[in-house]
mmCIF file with all atom_site columns, all heavy atoms in Angstrom:
data_model
loop_
_atom_site.group_PDB
_atom_site.id
_atom_site.type_symbol
_atom_site.label_atom_id
_atom_site.label_alt_id
_atom_site.label_comp_id
_atom_site.label_asym_id
_atom_site.label_entity_id
_atom_site.label_seq_id
_atom_site.pdbx_PDB_ins_code
_atom_site.Cartn_x
_atom_site.Cartn_y
_atom_site.Cartn_z
_atom_site.occupancy
_atom_site.B_iso_or_equiv
_atom_site.pdbx_formal_charge
_atom_site.auth_seq_id
_atom_site.auth_comp_id
_atom_site.auth_asym_id
_atom_site.auth_atom_id
_atom_site.pdbx_PDB_model_num
ATOM 1  N N   . ILE R 1 20  ? 60.379 192.058 -16.060 1.00 89.00 ? 20  ILE R N   1
ATOM 2  C CA  . ILE R 1 20  ? 59.124 192.451 -15.430 1.00 89.00 ? 20  ILE R CA  1
ATOM 3  C C   . ILE R 1 20  ? 59.048 193.972 -15.392 1.00 89.00 ? 20  ILE R C   1
ATOM 4  O O   . ILE R 1 20  ? 59.967 194.636 -14.913 1.00 89.00 ? 20  ILE R O   1
ATOM 5  C CB  . ILE R 1 20  ? 59.023 191.895 -13.998 1.00 89.00 ? 20  ILE R CB  1
ATOM 6  C CG1 . ILE R 1 20  ? 59.121 190.370 -14.012 1.00 89.00 ? 20  ILE R CG1 1
ATOM 7  C CG2 . ILE R 1 20  ? 57.729 192.348 -13.328 1.00 89.00 ? 20  ILE R CG2 1
ATOM 8  C CD1 . ILE R 1 20  ? 59.153 189.758 -12.633 1.00 89.00 ? 20  ILE R CD1 1
ATOM 9  N N   . PRO R 1 63  ? 64.401 188.044 5.250   1.00 93.00 ? 63  PRO R N   1
ATOM 10 C CA  . PRO R 1 63  ? 63.674 188.630 4.115   1.00 93.00 ? 63  PRO R CA  1
ATOM 11 C C   . PRO R 1 63  ? 62.708 187.656 3.447   1.00 93.00 ? 63  PRO R C   1
ATOM 12 O O   . PRO R 1 63  ? 61.538 187.995 3.220   1.00 93.00 ? 63  PRO R O   1
ATOM 13 C CB  . PRO R 1 63  ? 64.795 189.055 3.159   1.00 93.00 ? 63  PRO R CB  1
ATOM 14 C CG  . PRO R 1 63  ? 65.981 189.263 4.037   1.00 93.00 ? 63  PRO R CG  1
ATOM 15 C CD  . PRO R 1 63  ? 65.861 188.238 5.126   1.00 93.00 ? 63  PRO R CD  1
ATOM 16 N N   . GLY R 1 104 ? 60.606 181.683 19.416  1.00 90.00 ? 104 GLY R N   1
ATOM 17 C CA  . GLY R 1 104 ? 61.312 180.417 19.298  1.00 90.00 ? 104 GLY R CA  1
ATOM 18 C C   . GLY R 1 104 ? 62.165 180.034 20.480  1.00 90.00 ? 104 GLY R C   1
ATOM 19 O O   . GLY R 1 104 ? 62.415 178.848 20.714  1.00 90.00 ? 104 GLY R O   1
ATOM 20 N N   . GLY R 1 129 ? 66.957 177.041 8.569   1.00 90.00 ? 129 GLY R N   1
ATOM 21 C CA  . GLY R 1 129 ? 67.919 176.096 8.014   1.00 90.00 ? 129 GLY R CA  1
ATOM 22 C C   . GLY R 1 129 ? 68.974 175.572 8.952   1.00 90.00 ? 129 GLY R C   1
ATOM 23 O O   . GLY R 1 129 ? 70.166 175.587 8.626   1.00 90.00 ? 129 GLY R O   1
ATOM 24 N N   . LEU R 1 161 ? 63.934 161.289 9.494   1.00 93.00 ? 161 LEU R N   1
ATOM 25 C CA  . LEU R 1 161 ? 63.361 160.874 8.218   1.00 93.00 ? 161 LEU R CA  1
ATOM 26 C C   . LEU R 1 161 ? 62.202 159.893 8.412   1.00 93.00 ? 161 LEU R C   1
ATOM 27 O O   . LEU R 1 161 ? 61.230 159.903 7.659   1.00 93.00 ? 161 LEU R O   1
ATOM 28 C CB  . LEU R 1 161 ? 64.452 160.239 7.354   1.00 93.00 ? 161 LEU R CB  1
ATOM 29 C CG  . LEU R 1 161 ? 64.055 159.802 5.946   1.00 93.00 ? 161 LEU R CG  1
ATOM 30 C CD1 . LEU R 1 161 ? 63.596 160.999 5.125   1.00 93.00 ? 161 LEU R CD1 1
ATOM 31 C CD2 . LEU R 1 161 ? 65.230 159.107 5.258   1.00 93.00 ? 161 LEU R CD2 1
ATOM 32 N N   . ALA R 1 165 ? 58.432 159.918 6.763   1.00 95.00 ? 165 ALA R N   1
ATOM 33 C CA  . ALA R 1 165 ? 57.956 158.837 5.904   1.00 95.00 ? 165 ALA R CA  1
ATOM 34 C C   . ALA R 1 165 ? 56.629 158.257 6.384   1.00 95.00 ? 165 ALA R C   1
ATOM 35 O O   . ALA R 1 165 ? 55.678 158.107 5.605   1.00 95.00 ? 165 ALA R O   1
ATOM 36 C CB  . ALA R 1 165 ? 59.005 157.737 5.814   1.00 95.00 ? 165 ALA R CB  1
ATOM 37 N N   . TYR R 1 172 ? 60.240 169.526 0.192   1.00 91.00 ? 172 TYR R N   1
ATOM 38 C CA  . TYR R 1 172 ? 60.705 170.215 -1.007  1.00 91.00 ? 172 TYR R CA  1
ATOM 39 C C   . TYR R 1 172 ? 61.917 171.072 -0.671  1.00 91.00 ? 172 TYR R C   1
ATOM 40 O O   . TYR R 1 172 ? 61.999 171.666 0.405   1.00 91.00 ? 172 TYR R O   1
ATOM 41 C CB  . TYR R 1 172 ? 59.627 171.145 -1.571  1.00 91.00 ? 172 TYR R CB  1
ATOM 42 C CG  . TYR R 1 172 ? 58.313 170.478 -1.887  1.00 91.00 ? 172 TYR R CG  1
ATOM 43 C CD1 . TYR R 1 172 ? 57.287 170.439 -0.948  1.00 91.00 ? 172 TYR R CD1 1
ATOM 44 C CD2 . TYR R 1 172 ? 58.082 169.900 -3.134  1.00 91.00 ? 172 TYR R CD2 1
ATOM 45 C CE1 . TYR R 1 172 ? 56.069 169.829 -1.230  1.00 91.00 ? 172 TYR R CE1 1
ATOM 46 C CE2 . TYR R 1 172 ? 56.875 169.292 -3.428  1.00 91.00 ? 172 TYR R CE2 1
ATOM 47 C CZ  . TYR R 1 172 ? 55.877 169.261 -2.477  1.00 91.00 ? 172 TYR R CZ  1
ATOM 48 O OH  . TYR R 1 172 ? 54.687 168.654 -2.751  1.00 91.00 ? 172 TYR R OH  1
ATOM 49 N N   . ARG R 1 193 ? 48.797 194.300 -2.271  1.00 93.00 ? 193 ARG R N   1
ATOM 50 C CA  . ARG R 1 193 ? 48.217 193.260 -1.436  1.00 93.00 ? 193 ARG R CA  1
ATOM 51 C C   . ARG R 1 193 ? 48.990 193.125 -0.121  1.00 93.00 ? 193 ARG R C   1
ATOM 52 O O   . ARG R 1 193 ? 48.472 192.608 0.855   1.00 93.00 ? 193 ARG R O   1
ATOM 53 C CB  . ARG R 1 193 ? 48.215 191.921 -2.190  1.00 93.00 ? 193 ARG R CB  1
ATOM 54 C CG  . ARG R 1 193 ? 47.401 191.939 -3.481  1.00 93.00 ? 193 ARG R CG  1
ATOM 55 C CD  . ARG R 1 193 ? 45.921 191.870 -3.212  1.00 93.00 ? 193 ARG R CD  1
ATOM 56 N NE  . ARG R 1 193 ? 45.550 190.593 -2.651  1.00 93.00 ? 193 ARG R NE  1
ATOM 57 C CZ  . ARG R 1 193 ? 45.311 189.504 -3.377  1.00 93.00 ? 193 ARG R CZ  1
ATOM 58 N NH1 . ARG R 1 193 ? 45.414 189.538 -4.706  1.00 93.00 ? 193 ARG R NH1 1
ATOM 59 N NH2 . ARG R 1 193 ? 44.956 188.374 -2.799  1.00 93.00 ? 193 ARG R NH2 1
ATOM 60 N N   . ALA R 1 216 ? 74.677 193.384 5.537   1.00 93.00 ? 216 ALA R N   1
ATOM 61 C CA  . ALA R 1 216 ? 73.770 192.269 5.266   1.00 93.00 ? 216 ALA R CA  1
ATOM 62 C C   . ALA R 1 216 ? 74.269 190.982 5.919   1.00 93.00 ? 216 ALA R C   1
ATOM 63 O O   . ALA R 1 216 ? 73.484 190.233 6.514   1.00 93.00 ? 216 ALA R O   1
ATOM 64 C CB  . ALA R 1 216 ? 73.623 192.074 3.759   1.00 93.00 ? 216 ALA R CB  1
#
Side-chain angles (χ1 to χ4, degrees):
I20 301 175
L161 183 62
Y172 304 93
R193 299 283 293 276

